[in-house]
Amino acid sequence: MAIERTLSIIKPDATRRNLTGKINAKFEDAGLSFIAQRRLRLTREQAEAFYDVHKERAFFGELVDYMLSGPVVVQVLEGENAVAHHREVMGATNPAQADEGTVRKDFGVDVQENSVHGSDSVENAAKEISFFFSDAEIVG
């Protein structure tokens, strides 16, 4: 198996409810390691740039506004097949459809306030990681 890196974001609904530690415990218990981490408030420009892939979709404005509604925790996780493994631990985008024990099933509110974001491919992980972190900030 390949050692990979993936970007993880703990979204405003989860930071507002003080769930960062509980969510990160699930990732650690699943064998993922934290090699970079930062708590921040996204600017509108950052949120729009990060979610640019969804720019033409009807929910884009709501998504940007939601991501601006509170602080987020951006982090880089590393481990075997980290991208796919992280997505398994997160669960389905819609918490109502997520498997028991996943982050979104346990902590997500709805399809928008689903507590976490994760990269969907190794290629996107590299882009997303570099959006938030320089190489010097990643220590693993």
Short mmCIF file of all heavy atoms in Angstrom, two decimals, residues 37-99:
data_model
loop_
_atom_site.label_atom_id
_atom_site.label_comp_id
_atom_site.label_asym_id
_atom_site.label_seq_id
_atom_site.Cartn_x
_atom_site.Cartn_y
_atom_site.Cartn_z
N GLN A 37 -1.35 21.28 10.67
CA GLN A 37 -2.66 21.64 11.20
C GLN A 37 -2.70 23.13 11.51
O GLN A 37 -1.73 23.69 12.02
CB GLN A 37 -2.94 20.84 12.47
CG GLN A 37 -4.33 20.98 13.02
CD GLN A 37 -4.52 20.09 14.22
OE1 GLN A 37 -3.85 20.28 15.24
NE2 GLN A 37 -5.38 19.10 14.11
N ARG A 38 -3.85 23.75 11.21
CA ARG A 38 -4.02 25.17 11.48
C ARG A 38 -5.51 25.46 11.63
O ARG A 38 -6.33 24.96 10.88
CB ARG A 38 -3.43 25.97 10.32
CG ARG A 38 -3.73 27.44 10.34
CD ARG A 38 -3.18 28.22 9.13
NE ARG A 38 -1.80 27.91 8.86
CZ ARG A 38 -1.35 27.50 7.67
NH1 ARG A 38 -2.16 27.38 6.65
NH2 ARG A 38 -0.09 27.24 7.49
N ARG A 39 -5.83 26.32 12.59
CA ARG A 39 -7.20 26.81 12.76
C ARG A 39 -7.24 28.22 12.18
O ARG A 39 -6.36 29.04 12.49
CB ARG A 39 -7.57 26.82 14.24
CG ARG A 39 -9.00 27.22 14.53
CD ARG A 39 -9.22 27.22 16.06
NE ARG A 39 -10.58 27.50 16.39
CZ ARG A 39 -11.50 26.58 16.66
NH1 ARG A 39 -11.18 25.30 16.64
NH2 ARG A 39 -12.73 26.94 16.96
N LEU A 40 -8.24 28.51 11.34
CA LEU A 40 -8.31 29.82 10.71
C LEU A 40 -9.73 30.16 10.31
O LEU A 40 -10.62 29.32 10.33
CB LEU A 40 -7.39 29.86 9.48
CG LEU A 40 -7.64 28.83 8.38
CD1 LEU A 40 -8.51 29.40 7.29
CD2 LEU A 40 -6.33 28.37 7.80
N ARG A 41 -9.91 31.42 9.97
CA ARG A 41 -11.16 31.89 9.36
C ARG A 41 -10.86 32.16 7.91
O ARG A 41 -9.98 32.95 7.59
CB ARG A 41 -11.66 33.17 10.03
CG ARG A 41 -12.36 32.93 11.32
CD ARG A 41 -13.07 34.21 11.76
NE ARG A 41 -13.79 33.99 12.98
CZ ARG A 41 -15.07 33.62 13.04
NH1 ARG A 41 -15.75 33.44 11.94
NH2 ARG A 41 -15.65 33.44 14.20
N LEU A 42 -11.56 31.50 7.02
CA LEU A 42 -11.37 31.71 5.60
C LEU A 42 -11.87 33.10 5.21
O LEU A 42 -12.87 33.58 5.75
CB LEU A 42 -12.14 30.67 4.78
CG LEU A 42 -11.68 29.23 4.89
CD1 LEU A 42 -12.67 28.32 4.18
CD2 LEU A 42 -10.29 29.07 4.30
N THR A 43 -11.19 33.72 4.27
CA THR A 43 -11.71 34.94 3.66
C THR A 43 -12.66 34.50 2.53
O THR A 43 -12.62 33.35 2.07
CB THR A 43 -10.58 35.78 3.06
OG1 THR A 43 -9.98 35.06 1.97
CG2 THR A 43 -9.53 36.15 4.10
N ARG A 44 -13.48 35.42 2.08
CA ARG A 44 -14.38 35.12 0.95
C ARG A 44 -13.56 34.69 -0.26
O ARG A 44 -13.90 33.73 -0.96
CB ARG A 44 -15.25 36.32 0.62
CG ARG A 44 -16.19 36.05 -0.55
CD ARG A 44 -17.33 37.04 -0.64
NE ARG A 44 -18.19 37.03 0.52
CZ ARG A 44 -19.18 36.15 0.73
NH1 ARG A 44 -19.41 35.19 -0.15
NH2 ARG A 44 -19.92 36.21 1.82
N GLU A 45 -12.45 35.38 -0.51
CA GLU A 45 -11.61 35.05 -1.66
C GLU A 45 -11.05 33.64 -1.55
O GLU A 45 -11.01 32.89 -2.53
CB GLU A 45 -10.47 36.07 -1.80
CG GLU A 45 -10.93 37.47 -2.14
CD GLU A 45 -11.56 38.25 -0.97
OE1 GLU A 45 -11.28 37.92 0.22
OE2 GLU A 45 -12.35 39.16 -1.23
N GLN A 46 -10.60 33.26 -0.36
CA GLN A 46 -10.08 31.90 -0.16
C GLN A 46 -11.17 30.85 -0.39
O GLN A 46 -10.94 29.85 -1.07
CB GLN A 46 -9.52 31.73 1.25
CG GLN A 46 -8.19 32.39 1.49
CD GLN A 46 -7.79 32.30 2.95
OE1 GLN A 46 -8.60 32.54 3.85
NE2 GLN A 46 -6.54 31.95 3.18
N ALA A 47 -12.33 31.07 0.21
CA ALA A 47 -13.42 30.10 0.08
C ALA A 47 -13.86 29.96 -1.38
O ALA A 47 -14.08 28.85 -1.87
CB ALA A 47 -14.59 30.50 0.97
N GLU A 48 -14.00 31.09 -2.06
CA GLU A 48 -14.40 31.03 -3.47
C GLU A 48 -13.34 30.34 -4.32
O GLU A 48 -13.67 29.56 -5.22
CB GLU A 48 -14.68 32.44 -4.00
CG GLU A 48 -15.97 33.02 -3.45
CD GLU A 48 -16.23 34.45 -3.87
OE1 GLU A 48 -15.32 35.10 -4.47
OE2 GLU A 48 -17.33 34.95 -3.60
N ALA A 49 -12.08 30.60 -4.05
CA ALA A 49 -11.00 29.96 -4.82
C ALA A 49 -10.94 28.46 -4.52
O ALA A 49 -10.78 27.64 -5.43
CB ALA A 49 -9.66 30.63 -4.51
N PHE A 50 -11.07 28.09 -3.25
CA PHE A 50 -10.96 26.69 -2.87
C PHE A 50 -12.09 25.87 -3.49
O PHE A 50 -11.88 24.76 -3.97
CB PHE A 50 -10.96 26.53 -1.35
CG PHE A 50 -10.71 25.12 -0.91
CD1 PHE A 50 -9.42 24.61 -0.93
CD2 PHE A 50 -11.75 24.30 -0.51
CE1 PHE A 50 -9.18 23.29 -0.55
CE2 PHE A 50 -11.52 22.98 -0.14
CZ PHE A 50 -10.24 22.49 -0.15
N TYR A 51 -13.30 26.41 -3.48
CA TYR A 51 -14.46 25.69 -4.00
C TYR A 51 -14.80 26.08 -5.44
O TYR A 51 -15.92 25.85 -5.90
CB TYR A 51 -15.66 25.90 -3.07
CG TYR A 51 -15.52 25.12 -1.78
CD1 TYR A 51 -15.22 25.76 -0.58
CD2 TYR A 51 -15.66 23.74 -1.76
CE1 TYR A 51 -15.08 25.05 0.60
CE2 TYR A 51 -15.52 23.02 -0.59
CZ TYR A 51 -15.23 23.68 0.58
OH TYR A 51 -15.09 22.96 1.74
N ASP A 52 -13.86 26.64 -6.16
CA ASP A 52 -14.06 27.09 -7.54
C ASP A 52 -14.64 25.99 -8.44
O ASP A 52 -15.40 26.28 -9.35
CB ASP A 52 -12.74 27.61 -8.12
CG ASP A 52 -12.93 28.22 -9.49
OD1 ASP A 52 -13.65 29.22 -9.58
OD2 ASP A 52 -12.37 27.67 -10.47
N VAL A 53 -14.32 24.75 -8.16
CA VAL A 53 -14.82 23.64 -8.96
C VAL A 53 -16.35 23.59 -8.94
O VAL A 53 -16.98 23.08 -9.87
CB VAL A 53 -14.21 22.29 -8.48
CG1 VAL A 53 -14.68 21.94 -7.08
CG2 VAL A 53 -14.52 21.18 -9.45
N HIS A 54 -16.97 24.17 -7.91
CA HIS A 54 -18.43 24.18 -7.78
C HIS A 54 -19.05 25.52 -8.20
O HIS A 54 -20.24 25.74 -7.98
CB HIS A 54 -18.83 23.89 -6.33
CG HIS A 54 -18.37 22.57 -5.83
ND1 HIS A 54 -18.70 21.38 -6.44
CD2 HIS A 54 -17.60 22.23 -4.76
CE1 HIS A 54 -18.15 20.37 -5.77
NE2 HIS A 54 -17.48 20.87 -4.77
N LYS A 55 -18.27 26.39 -8.78
CA LYS A 55 -18.70 27.77 -9.07
C LYS A 55 -20.00 27.85 -9.87
O LYS A 55 -20.81 28.74 -9.62
CB LYS A 55 -17.58 28.49 -9.83
CG LYS A 55 -17.79 29.97 -9.95
CD LYS A 55 -16.58 30.63 -10.56
CE LYS A 55 -16.71 32.13 -10.47
NZ LYS A 55 -15.49 32.81 -10.88
N GLU A 56 -20.22 26.95 -10.78
CA GLU A 56 -21.41 26.99 -11.63
C GLU A 56 -22.62 26.30 -11.01
O GLU A 56 -23.71 26.34 -11.57
CB GLU A 56 -21.10 26.37 -13.00
CG GLU A 56 -19.98 27.07 -13.74
CD GLU A 56 -20.22 28.56 -13.95
OE1 GLU A 56 -21.37 28.94 -14.25
OE2 GLU A 56 -19.26 29.35 -13.78
N ARG A 57 -22.46 25.71 -9.86
CA ARG A 57 -23.56 24.98 -9.22
C ARG A 57 -24.41 25.92 -8.38
O ARG A 57 -23.91 26.90 -7.82
CB ARG A 57 -23.02 23.83 -8.39
CG ARG A 57 -22.30 22.82 -9.26
CD ARG A 57 -22.10 21.54 -8.56
NE ARG A 57 -21.54 20.56 -9.47
CZ ARG A 57 -21.04 19.43 -9.09
NH1 ARG A 57 -21.02 19.11 -7.81
NH2 ARG A 57 -20.54 18.59 -9.96
N ALA A 58 -25.67 25.60 -8.25
CA ALA A 58 -26.62 26.45 -7.53
C ALA A 58 -26.25 26.67 -6.07
O ALA A 58 -26.53 27.72 -5.51
CB ALA A 58 -28.02 25.85 -7.63
N PHE A 59 -25.58 25.70 -5.46
CA PHE A 59 -25.26 25.78 -4.03
C PHE A 59 -23.97 26.53 -3.72
O PHE A 59 -23.61 26.70 -2.56
CB PHE A 59 -25.21 24.39 -3.40
CG PHE A 59 -24.14 23.49 -3.97
CD1 PHE A 59 -22.82 23.57 -3.53
CD2 PHE A 59 -24.45 22.54 -4.93
CE1 PHE A 59 -21.83 22.73 -4.04
CE2 PHE A 59 -23.48 21.69 -5.46
CZ PHE A 59 -22.16 21.80 -5.01
N PHE A 60 -23.26 27.00 -4.74
CA PHE A 60 -21.95 27.63 -4.54
C PHE A 60 -21.99 28.78 -3.54
O PHE A 60 -21.19 28.82 -2.60
CB PHE A 60 -21.37 28.10 -5.88
CG PHE A 60 -20.04 28.79 -5.77
CD1 PHE A 60 -18.88 28.06 -5.52
CD2 PHE A 60 -19.93 30.16 -5.90
CE1 PHE A 60 -17.65 28.68 -5.41
CE2 PHE A 60 -18.69 30.80 -5.79
CZ PHE A 60 -17.56 30.05 -5.54
N GLY A 61 -22.90 29.71 -3.71
CA GLY A 61 -22.99 30.86 -2.80
C GLY A 61 -23.26 30.45 -1.37
O GLY A 61 -22.64 30.97 -0.43
N GLU A 62 -24.18 29.50 -1.18
CA GLU A 62 -24.48 29.00 0.16
C GLU A 62 -23.27 28.30 0.77
O GLU A 62 -23.01 28.45 1.97
CB GLU A 62 -25.66 28.02 0.12
CG GLU A 62 -27.00 28.67 -0.04
CD GLU A 62 -28.12 27.65 -0.02
OE1 GLU A 62 -27.99 26.62 0.67
OE2 GLU A 62 -29.13 27.88 -0.72
N LEU A 63 -22.55 27.54 -0.04
CA LEU A 63 -21.37 26.84 0.44
C LEU A 63 -20.31 27.83 0.91
O LEU A 63 -19.74 27.69 2.01
CB LEU A 63 -20.79 25.94 -0.66
CG LEU A 63 -19.46 25.24 -0.37
CD1 LEU A 63 -19.57 24.33 0.85
CD2 LEU A 63 -19.01 24.46 -1.59
N VAL A 64 -20.06 28.85 0.11
CA VAL A 64 -19.07 29.86 0.49
C VAL A 64 -19.50 30.56 1.77
O VAL A 64 -18.71 30.70 2.71
CB VAL A 64 -18.84 30.86 -0.67
CG1 VAL A 64 -18.03 32.06 -0.20
CG2 VAL A 64 -18.15 30.16 -1.83
N ASP A 65 -20.76 30.99 1.85
CA ASP A 65 -21.25 31.66 3.05
C ASP A 65 -21.12 30.76 4.28
O ASP A 65 -20.72 31.22 5.36
CB ASP A 65 -22.71 32.09 2.88
CG ASP A 65 -22.88 33.24 1.91
OD1 ASP A 65 -21.88 33.92 1.57
OD2 ASP A 65 -24.04 33.46 1.46
N TYR A 66 -21.45 29.50 4.13
CA TYR A 66 -21.32 28.55 5.24
C TYR A 66 -19.86 28.43 5.69
O TYR A 66 -19.57 28.47 6.90
CB TYR A 66 -21.87 27.18 4.82
CG TYR A 66 -21.40 26.05 5.69
CD1 TYR A 66 -21.73 26.01 7.04
CD2 TYR A 66 -20.64 25.03 5.17
CE1 TYR A 66 -21.30 24.97 7.84
CE2 TYR A 66 -20.20 23.99 5.95
CZ TYR A 66 -20.54 23.96 7.30
OH TYR A 66 -20.09 22.93 8.08
N MET A 67 -18.94 28.33 4.74
CA MET A 67 -17.53 28.18 5.11
C MET A 67 -16.97 29.44 5.76
O MET A 67 -15.95 29.40 6.44
CB MET A 67 -16.70 27.77 3.90
CG MET A 67 -17.01 26.36 3.41
SD MET A 67 -16.79 25.05 4.65
CE MET A 67 -15.00 25.02 4.76
N LEU A 68 -17.65 30.58 5.58
CA LEU A 68 -17.26 31.83 6.23
C LEU A 68 -17.92 32.02 7.58
O LEU A 68 -17.58 32.94 8.31
CB LEU A 68 -17.62 33.02 5.33
CG LEU A 68 -16.97 33.08 3.96
CD1 LEU A 68 -17.53 34.26 3.16
CD2 LEU A 68 -15.47 33.14 4.06
N SER A 69 -18.84 31.14 7.94
CA SER A 69 -19.67 31.34 9.14
C SER A 69 -18.94 31.09 10.45
O SER A 69 -19.49 31.37 11.52
CB SER A 69 -20.92 30.46 9.06
OG SER A 69 -20.59 29.09 9.22
N GLY A 70 -17.74 30.59 10.40
CA GLY A 70 -16.97 30.33 11.61
C GLY A 70 -15.60 29.80 11.25
O GLY A 70 -15.29 29.58 10.08
N PRO A 71 -14.79 29.57 12.27
CA PRO A 71 -13.45 29.04 12.00
C PRO A 71 -13.50 27.61 11.48
O PRO A 71 -14.46 26.88 11.71
CB PRO A 71 -12.75 29.10 13.36
CG PRO A 71 -13.83 29.19 14.36
CD PRO A 71 -15.02 29.79 13.69
N VAL A 72 -12.45 27.24 10.76
CA VAL A 72 -12.25 25.88 10.28
C VAL A 72 -10.89 25.41 10.77
O VAL A 72 -10.04 26.21 11.14
CB VAL A 72 -12.33 25.79 8.74
CG1 VAL A 72 -13.70 26.19 8.23
CG2 VAL A 72 -11.24 26.61 8.07
N VAL A 73 -10.69 24.11 10.75
CA VAL A 73 -9.38 23.53 11.03
C VAL A 73 -8.95 22.83 9.75
O VAL A 73 -9.64 21.92 9.28
CB VAL A 73 -9.42 22.55 12.21
CG1 VAL A 73 -8.06 21.89 12.41
CG2 VAL A 73 -9.87 23.26 13.49
N VAL A 74 -7.85 23.31 9.17
CA VAL A 74 -7.30 22.67 7.97
C VAL A 74 -6.10 21.84 8.42
O VAL A 74 -5.32 22.26 9.28
CB VAL A 74 -6.90 23.70 6.89
CG1 VAL A 74 -8.13 24.39 6.34
CG2 VAL A 74 -5.90 24.71 7.39
N GLN A 75 -6.00 20.64 7.86
CA GLN A 75 -4.92 19.75 8.31
C GLN A 75 -4.53 18.78 7.20
O GLN A 75 -5.32 18.49 6.32
CB GLN A 75 -5.35 19.01 9.57
CG GLN A 75 -6.72 18.39 9.51
CD GLN A 75 -7.34 18.14 10.87
OE1 GLN A 75 -6.87 18.61 11.90
NE2 GLN A 75 -8.40 17.38 10.89
N VAL A 76 -3.31 18.33 7.31
CA VAL A 76 -2.81 17.32 6.38
C VAL A 76 -2.66 16.03 7.15
O VAL A 76 -2.03 15.98 8.21
CB VAL A 76 -1.45 17.74 5.78
CG1 VAL A 76 -0.96 16.67 4.80
CG2 VAL A 76 -1.54 19.10 5.10
N LEU A 77 -3.28 14.99 6.60
CA LEU A 77 -3.20 13.66 7.19
C LEU A 77 -2.35 12.78 6.30
O LEU A 77 -2.36 12.92 5.07
CB LEU A 77 -4.59 13.05 7.34
CG LEU A 77 -5.62 13.87 8.10
CD1 LEU A 77 -6.95 13.13 8.14
CD2 LEU A 77 -5.14 14.20 9.48
N GLU A 78 -1.63 11.86 6.91
CA GLU A 78 -0.77 10.95 6.16
C GLU A 78 -1.02 9.54 6.63
O GLU A 78 -1.27 9.30 7.82
CB GLU A 78 0.70 11.34 6.39
CG GLU A 78 1.69 10.54 5.56
CD GLU A 78 3.11 11.04 5.75
OE1 GLU A 78 3.67 10.81 6.85
OE2 GLU A 78 3.64 11.68 4.82
N GLY A 79 -0.94 8.60 5.70
CA GLY A 79 -1.10 7.19 6.05
C GLY A 79 -1.24 6.35 4.80
O GLY A 79 -1.20 6.85 3.67
N GLU A 80 -1.40 5.05 5.01
CA GLU A 80 -1.58 4.14 3.88
C GLU A 80 -2.90 4.44 3.20
O GLU A 80 -3.95 4.51 3.84
CB GLU A 80 -1.55 2.69 4.37
CG GLU A 80 -0.17 2.25 4.82
CD GLU A 80 -0.12 0.78 5.18
OE1 GLU A 80 -1.06 0.03 4.85
OE2 GLU A 80 0.89 0.39 5.80
N ASN A 81 -2.83 4.65 1.88
CA ASN A 81 -4.02 4.99 1.09
C ASN A 81 -4.86 6.05 1.78
O ASN A 81 -6.09 5.93 1.91
CB ASN A 81 -4.84 3.73 0.80
CG ASN A 81 -4.10 2.77 -0.08
OD1 ASN A 81 -3.48 3.16 -1.06
ND2 ASN A 81 -4.14 1.50 0.27
N ALA A 82 -4.20 7.11 2.23
CA ALA A 82 -4.83 8.13 3.07
C ALA A 82 -6.07 8.75 2.44
O ALA A 82 -7.04 9.03 3.16
CB ALA A 82 -3.81 9.21 3.43
N VAL A 83 -6.07 8.99 1.15
CA VAL A 83 -7.22 9.66 0.52
C VAL A 83 -8.47 8.80 0.68
O VAL A 83 -9.49 9.25 1.22
CB VAL A 83 -6.94 9.99 -0.96
CG1 VAL A 83 -8.19 10.51 -1.64
CG2 VAL A 83 -5.81 11.00 -1.08
N ALA A 84 -8.41 7.57 0.24
CA ALA A 84 -9.57 6.69 0.32
C ALA A 84 -9.91 6.35 1.76
O ALA A 84 -11.09 6.31 2.15
CB ALA A 84 -9.32 5.41 -0.47
N HIS A 85 -8.89 6.12 2.58
CA HIS A 85 -9.13 5.75 3.97
C HIS A 85 -9.80 6.89 4.73
O HIS A 85 -10.75 6.68 5.49
CB HIS A 85 -7.80 5.34 4.63
CG HIS A 85 -7.96 4.70 5.96
ND1 HIS A 85 -8.85 3.68 6.20
CD2 HIS A 85 -7.36 4.96 7.14
CE1 HIS A 85 -8.77 3.33 7.46
NE2 HIS A 85 -7.88 4.10 8.06
N HIS A 86 -9.33 8.11 4.52
CA HIS A 86 -9.93 9.28 5.16
C HIS A 86 -11.39 9.42 4.74
O HIS A 86 -12.27 9.70 5.57
CB HIS A 86 -9.13 10.53 4.78
CG HIS A 86 -9.63 11.80 5.37
ND1 HIS A 86 -10.10 12.83 4.58
CD2 HIS A 86 -9.75 12.22 6.65
CE1 HIS A 86 -10.48 13.83 5.36
NE2 HIS A 86 -10.28 13.48 6.61
N ARG A 87 -11.67 9.20 3.47
CA ARG A 87 -13.05 9.31 2.98
C ARG A 87 -13.94 8.24 3.60
O ARG A 87 -15.12 8.49 3.91
CB ARG A 87 -13.08 9.26 1.46
CG ARG A 87 -12.40 10.52 0.85
CD ARG A 87 -12.52 10.60 -0.64
NE ARG A 87 -13.88 10.87 -1.08
CZ ARG A 87 -14.48 12.06 -1.01
NH1 ARG A 87 -13.85 13.09 -0.49
NH2 ARG A 87 -15.71 12.21 -1.47
N GLU A 88 -13.41 7.05 3.82
CA GLU A 88 -14.18 6.00 4.50
C GLU A 88 -14.53 6.42 5.92
O GLU A 88 -15.66 6.21 6.37
CB GLU A 88 -13.37 4.70 4.56
CG GLU A 88 -13.24 3.97 3.25
CD GLU A 88 -12.29 2.78 3.37
OE1 GLU A 88 -12.10 2.28 4.50
OE2 GLU A 88 -11.74 2.37 2.34
N VAL A 89 -13.56 6.97 6.62
CA VAL A 89 -13.77 7.39 8.01
C VAL A 89 -14.75 8.56 8.07
O VAL A 89 -15.56 8.66 9.00
CB VAL A 89 -12.43 7.74 8.71
CG1 VAL A 89 -12.65 8.25 10.12
CG2 VAL A 89 -11.50 6.53 8.71
N MET A 90 -14.70 9.46 7.08
CA MET A 90 -15.64 10.58 7.03
C MET A 90 -17.07 10.10 6.81
O MET A 90 -17.99 10.60 7.43
CB MET A 90 -15.29 11.56 5.90
CG MET A 90 -14.09 12.40 6.16
SD MET A 90 -13.91 13.75 4.95
CE MET A 90 -14.12 12.94 3.38
N GLY A 91 -17.28 9.17 5.90
CA GLY A 91 -18.61 8.69 5.57
C GLY A 91 -19.22 9.45 4.41
O GLY A 91 -18.65 10.42 3.90
N ALA A 92 -20.40 9.06 4.01
CA ALA A 92 -21.11 9.68 2.88
C ALA A 92 -21.36 11.16 3.14
O ALA A 92 -21.54 11.57 4.28
CB ALA A 92 -22.43 8.96 2.63
N THR A 93 -21.39 11.95 2.06
CA THR A 93 -21.60 13.39 2.16
C THR A 93 -22.87 13.72 2.94
O THR A 93 -22.88 14.62 3.77
CB THR A 93 -21.69 14.02 0.75
OG1 THR A 93 -20.48 13.72 0.06
CG2 THR A 93 -21.88 15.51 0.82
N ASN A 94 -23.93 12.99 2.71
CA ASN A 94 -25.18 13.18 3.44
C ASN A 94 -25.13 12.32 4.71
O ASN A 94 -25.13 11.10 4.62
CB ASN A 94 -26.37 12.77 2.57
CG ASN A 94 -27.69 13.05 3.23
OD1 ASN A 94 -27.79 13.25 4.44
ND2 ASN A 94 -28.74 13.06 2.43
N PRO A 95 -25.11 12.95 5.88
CA PRO A 95 -25.03 12.18 7.13
C PRO A 95 -26.12 11.12 7.27
O PRO A 95 -25.89 10.07 7.86
CB PRO A 95 -25.16 13.24 8.22
CG PRO A 95 -24.65 14.49 7.58
CD PRO A 95 -25.09 14.40 6.14
N ALA A 96 -27.30 11.37 6.70
CA ALA A 96 -28.39 10.39 6.78
C ALA A 96 -28.06 9.11 6.03
O ALA A 96 -28.63 8.05 6.33
CB ALA A 96 -29.68 11.01 6.23
N GLN A 97 -27.15 9.19 5.07
CA GLN A 97 -26.77 8.03 4.27
C GLN A 97 -25.41 7.44 4.69
O GLN A 97 -24.97 6.44 4.14
CB GLN A 97 -26.73 8.40 2.79
CG GLN A 97 -28.06 8.83 2.26
CD GLN A 97 -27.98 9.40 0.85
OE1 GLN A 97 -26.91 9.70 0.34
NE2 GLN A 97 -29.13 9.56 0.23
N ALA A 98 -24.76 8.07 5.66
CA ALA A 98 -23.43 7.63 6.09
C ALA A 98 -23.52 6.38 6.97
O ALA A 98 -24.52 6.17 7.67
CB ALA A 98 -22.73 8.76 6.84
N ASP A 99 -22.49 5.56 6.91
CA ASP A 99 -22.43 4.35 7.74
C ASP A 99 -22.27 4.71 9.21
O ASP A 99 -21.66 5.72 9.56
CB ASP A 99 -21.25 3.46 7.31
CG ASP A 99 -21.46 2.83 5.95
OD1 ASP A 99 -22.63 2.72 5.50
OD2 ASP A 99 -20.46 2.43 5.33
#
